[in-house]
């Protein structure tokens, strides 16, 4: 029997009314909520009918997170949710590499990616041939890939990491020689953090960057600190080392939320994608966000309309399909991360 919980426009408006990020696209009037509600309720019904689960990254639009999402989180938490779910279908409202990670861990399930633009400047900047060439050039190095990579790239690497566990995993790797890819800035932050912890590692890194996080500079932090002397600056490890060094806390998107929750201060500068700011405005209305945030065009290309479409009638391109030999090799790389994080 289907017992879908429907939502009313008034309930959705009550949930989203404090969110005011960027332009009018991220303000939620009752009228706007009235337009979303029929789509949300249809998705909720289909989700039950198909035994589907909807995983949503924090950068995705709030009407998706709070309207239809079953789990919201950073890429590490979402990959664990994907591993534990009993659903037959996983709809991954995020970007393709996250859907691929879910498929790597769940070969028997159907994984659907609704994003119209499903790329990521990091995941798109390196392919498997380039990794094979680097391995020939640096044969003594352990190849560590950020989760923001394709399944083919993961299949060529030894260990996967996410922003939530990169330092913890790399410090446990027995080899002193680490090749980190594809994020140059995260690679530099990794090398600095290993030095700070007194862990001897020769860290080489690839040349990729995230176009959202590389925009932030330390001048922005200095300006905000002059205006708001008590502000806490919170950044993501995809930001430049100079930005991370000037921050009070650096961590994954979920760790950034936890830091805000546990910190007395009332004012925060969050140096990451705007979706996180929207979540914080909804979940911590008494805290004040200062400064601006940046949008990720890929994450923001997820819509309720496309989620409904992939649940109803997925096109071949909405499905994540990975060749079985590649999936098995990529799974070893992702499972190596879980083995390190369990220790
Ligand atoms: P998190 O794993 O911290 O959520 O980061 C994912 C991402 O793409 C950041 O740009
Ligand atoms: Fe990729 Fe950057 Fe968007 Fe994250 S914010 S999905 S790293 S482009």
């Amino acid at each position: 029997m289907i017992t879908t919980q429907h939502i009313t426009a008034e309930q959705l408006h009550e949930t989203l009314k404090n969110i005011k990020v960027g332009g009018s696209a991220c303000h939620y009037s009752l009228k706007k909520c009235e337009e979303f509600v029929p789509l949300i309720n249809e998705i909720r019904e289909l989700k039950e009918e198909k035994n589907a689960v909807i995983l949503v990254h924090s950068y995705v639009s709030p009407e998706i997170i709070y309207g239809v999402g079953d789990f919201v989180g950073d890429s590490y938490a979402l990959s664990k949710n994907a591993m534990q779910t009993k659903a037959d279908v996983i709809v991954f409202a995020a970007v393709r590499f996250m859907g691929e990670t879910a498929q790597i861990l769940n070969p028997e399930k159907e994984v659907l990616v609704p994003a119209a633009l499903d790329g990521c400047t990091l995941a798109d900047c390196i392919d498997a041939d380039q990794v094979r060439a680097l391995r020939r050039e640096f044969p003594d190095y352990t190849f560590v890939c950020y989760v923001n990579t394709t399944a083919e790239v993961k299949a060529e690497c030894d260990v996967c990491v996410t922003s939530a566990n990169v330092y913890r995993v790399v410090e446990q790797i027995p080899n002193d020689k680490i090749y980190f890819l594809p994020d140059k800035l995260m690679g530099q932050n990794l090398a600095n953090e290993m030095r700070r912890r007194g862990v001897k590692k020769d860290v080489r890194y690839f040349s990729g960057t995230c176009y959202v996080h590389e925009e932030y500079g330390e001048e922005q932090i200095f300006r905000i600190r002059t205006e708001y002397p008590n502000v806490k600056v919170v950044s993501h490890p995809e930001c430049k080392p100079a930005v991370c060094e000037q921050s009070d806390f650096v961590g994954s998107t979920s760790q950034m939320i936890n830091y805000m929750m546990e910190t007395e201060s009332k004012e925060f500068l969050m140096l990451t994608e705007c979706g996180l700011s929207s979540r914080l405005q909804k979940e911590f209305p008494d805290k004040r966000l200062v400064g601006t945030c940046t949008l990720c065009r890929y994450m923001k290309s997820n819509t309720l309309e496309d989620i409904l479409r992939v649940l109803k009638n997925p096109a071949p391109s909405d499905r994540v399909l990975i060749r079985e030999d590649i999936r098995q090799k990529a799974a070893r790389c992702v499972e190596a991360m879980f083995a390190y994080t369990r220790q």
Side-chain angles (χ1 to χ4, degrees):
M1 191 180 66
I2 292 182
T3 52
T4 309
Q5 273 216 325
H6 282 182
I7 191 171
T8 64
E10 288 71 20
Q11 285 166 330
L12 185 65
H13 183 243
E14 189 55 35
T15 305
L16 305 181
K17 68 179 186 209
N18 288 327
I19 298 174
K20 288 190 175 53
V21 174
S24 59
C26 248
H27 291 200
Y28 292 86
S29 62
L30 182 58
K31 186 166 174 301
K32 197 160 159 182
C33 293
E34 280 165 1
E35 287 162 23
F36 288 140
V37 154
L39 288 165
I40 290 175
N41 287 334
E42 200 177 344
I43 292 170
R44 287 182 178 200
E45 279 172 23
L46 270 173
K47 219 167 46 162
E48 280 206 38
E49 211 177 292
K50 302 204 172 231
N51 190 24
V53 69
I54 303 188
L55 307 184
V56 194
H57 190 269
S58 295
Y59 292 165
V60 168
S61 299
E63 68 273 16
I64 296 177
I65 296 180
Y66 298 105
V68 299
D70 294 297
F71 297 100
V72 56
D74 64 6
S75 27
Y76 182 61
L78 292 173
S79 60
K80 283 177 83 176
N81 294 142
M83 204 161 59
Q84 288 155 0
T85 184
K86 296 210 169 18
D88 298 318
V89 178
I90 299 174
V91 177
F92 217 127
V95 285
R96 185 155 292 255
F97 77 79
M98 293 193 189
E100 283 191 350
T101 309
Q103 187 75 75
I104 289 166
L105 296 166
N106 290 283
E108 75 297 347
K109 294 192 199 295
E110 173 159 59
V111 180
L112 301 168
V113 174
L117 284 178
D118 61 4
C120 158
T121 56
L122 284 171
D124 298 343
C125 75
I126 187 165
D127 63 20
D129 284 342
Q130 287 169 288
V131 183
R132 282 190 284 268
L134 285 164
R135 293 206 78 134
R136 285 192 293 275
E137 197 179 337
F138 300 104
D140 304 336
Y141 282 66
T142 295
F143 273 65
V144 179
C145 60
Y146 189 27
V147 70
N148 296 38
T149 43
T150 61
E152 286 80 3
V153 165
K154 287 186 179 76
E156 299 299 328
C157 293
D158 302 303
V159 191
C160 175
V161 293
T162 76
S163 55
N165 57 37
V166 52
Y167 304 141
R168 184 164 148 220
V169 169
V170 171
E171 73 180 349
Q172 294 177 69
I173 294 174
N175 192 353
D176 285 355
K177 296 189 172 87
I178 303 293
Y179 195 102
F180 181 77
L181 60 87
D183 190 343
K184 169 177 81 177
L185 302 178
M186 205 174 194
Q188 291 166 353
N189 287 324
L190 170 63
N192 291 345
E193 184 62 23
M194 291 301 105
R195 256 194 305 280
R196 211 168 359 250
R197 294 183 183 199
V199 179
K200 191 175 157 290
K201 294 280 179 209
D202 163 18
V203 181
R204 289 184 179 265
Y205 41 82
F206 195 67
S207 55
T209 53
C210 160
Y211 87 106
V212 171
H213 291 90
E214 73 175 341
E215 282 304 303
Y216 303 121
E218 71 261 48
E219 329 71 53
Q220 196 175 342
I221 301 180
F222 299 145
R223 232 181 303 119
I224 290 283
R225 286 204 193 278
T226 316
E227 206 175 330
Y228 304 96
N230 297 320
V231 72
K232 294 288 179 203
V233 179
V234 187
S235 62
H236 193 274
E238 290 170 16
C239 293
K240 293 178 184 125
V243 167
C244 295
E245 273 148 32
Q246 293 301 327
S247 299
D248 296 288
F249 180 79
V250 182
S252 76
T253 49
S254 296
Q255 291 166 340
M256 292 169 87
I257 296 181
N258 291 343
Y259 174 81
M260 188 189 211
M261 197 163 63
E262 289 158 7
T263 306
E264 288 282 298
S265 180
K266 287 269 175 247
E267 287 156 352
F268 293 84
L269 170 65
M270 307 301 285
L271 294 176
T272 192
E273 210 271 349
C274 294
L276 206 74
S277 307
S278 323
R279 276 198 67 190
L280 297 169
Q281 285 178 336
K282 142 88 181 90
E283 288 164 36
F284 307 100
D286 56 326
K287 307 244 179 189
R288 177 161 177 219
L289 298 177
V290 299
T292 51
C293 54
T294 319
L295 294 169
C296 169
R297 62 177 171 266
Y298 306 106
M299 290 284 191
K300 288 294 189 281
S301 75
N302 284 276
T303 61
L304 289 169
E305 285 83 354
D306 279 327
I307 294 175
L308 184 59
R309 181 184 57 74
V310 302
L311 273 169
K312 264 188 178 160
N313 188 17
S317 59
D318 300 323
R319 294 198 155 97
V320 177
L321 293 173
I322 305 172
R323 233 175 57 198
E324 183 53 18
D325 57 328
I326 292 174
R327 191 201 64 77
Q328 284 182 19
K329 284 169 75 189
R332 280 199 288 275
C333 177
V334 177
E335 276 154 13
M337 168 179 82
F338 288 121
Y340 278 115
T341 50
R342 267 195 298 271
Q343 281 168 21

